[in-house]
Amino acid sequence: MKTILLGLTAFLFTVNIQAQNKNVKSEVTTKITTIKDSEGEKKLIKTQEINENQAIELMDADSNVLNKNTKESPINVTATTKITADGVTRLIDIDRSAYYDLDGQKYQVTTDKVGYTMTFANGEKKAILRKTSNNNYIYKAKDKTSYGYFNQEGNLVLENYDEATDTVTATTYILNKE
């Protein structure tokens, strides 16, 4: 009985002393923004979690050398962003909140409960953006509904259908990188 107990204890200790085969790095950043406007004070909480995983690979895995060199292997990076606005938490792949320019006019795109809100620089609401199932957006202004998406450079592209000419025109809001 004593031998079995000592054998199980030794086995449990050896399970914990196994080599790690991954380099793992995790970073969580939380940003709280307080917005004061005519409707009162609102808090916007943005939590971004970045995980980096790298498998450890040996150069001479089959050799009898005690200390073995590692070789470079790719790093897998995953980032998730959670935004809490007005008590509602959403999971966002890429946060597109930023300033955009069109014909000298500056616009701000910010997250809201179910998508994005586009406002003029003075805070006046211009339009809303709602995500569709295929990672595009429906742009809805007072008298205009358009189809939109973000291109490779991060610019907002809106495509409008003109019934009179039976054509589709594209309007591009340029991402302000200042």
Side-chain angles (χ1 to χ4, degrees):
M1 182 71 161
K2 191 176 193 182
T3 309
I4 294 173
L5 185 59
L6 287 174
L8 284 174
T9 306
F11 175 73
L12 290 176
F13 280 113
T14 57
V15 169
N16 289 333
I17 305 176
Q18 291 182 0
Q20 181 181 358
N21 59 0
K22 281 187 183 180
N23 284 334
V24 179
K25 178 182 172 187
S26 180
E27 180 180 330
V28 177
T29 307
T30 302
K31 182 178 178 183
I32 300 173
T33 306
T34 304
I35 302 170
K36 294 181 182 178
D37 60 4
S38 61
E39 296 175 6
E41 188 174 297
K42 299 177 186 174
K43 283 193 177 185
L44 182 69
I45 302 170
K46 178 180 176 181
T47 304
Q48 185 173 27
E49 182 177 353
I50 300 172
N51 292 318
E52 296 178 4
N53 292 321
Q54 181 181 24
I56 298 174
E57 297 178 10
L58 302 175
M59 284 186 184
D60 302 328
D62 296 332
S63 70
N64 292 332
V65 178
L66 185 59
N67 293 325
K68 298 180 182 183
N69 294 328
T70 60
K71 64 180 179 180
E72 292 290 323
S73 61
I75 299 173
N76 296 326
V77 179
T78 57
T80 56
T81 304
K82 293 179 186 175
I83 296 181
T84 303
D86 299 329
V88 177
T89 302
R90 294 189 310 132
L91 185 65
I92 297 177
D93 298 332
I94 300 173
D95 188 13
R96 301 290 187 176
S97 298
Y99 287 97
Y100 294 86
D101 294 321
L102 177 67
D103 299 331
Q105 179 72 36
K106 192 174 193 178
Y107 300 94
Q108 182 180 14
V109 174
T110 56
T111 58
D112 61 9
K113 290 181 184 178
V114 291
Y116 293 101
T117 302
M118 181 182 275
T119 58
F120 291 106
N122 63 7
E124 180 185 344
K125 186 175 178 181
K126 176 175 174 27
I128 58 172
L129 291 164
R130 298 296 180 243
K131 191 172 184 178
T132 63
S133 61
N134 58 356
N135 289 332
N136 294 310
Y137 292 87
I138 295 173
Y139 170 90
K140 177 70 175 128
K142 292 178 186 173
D143 58 344
K144 185 178 186 181
T145 302
S146 302
Y147 164 82
Y149 60 92
F150 292 94
N151 64 12
Q152 294 290 343
E153 293 82 30
N155 300 327
L156 174 61
V157 179
L158 297 179
E159 293 183 353
N160 307 305
Y161 175 70
D162 185 9
E163 239 180 283
T165 61
D166 194 29
T167 60
V168 175
T169 58
T171 306
T172 303
Y173 290 80
I174 307 296
L175 178 64
N176 191 339
K177 297 178 181 174
E178 294 177 7

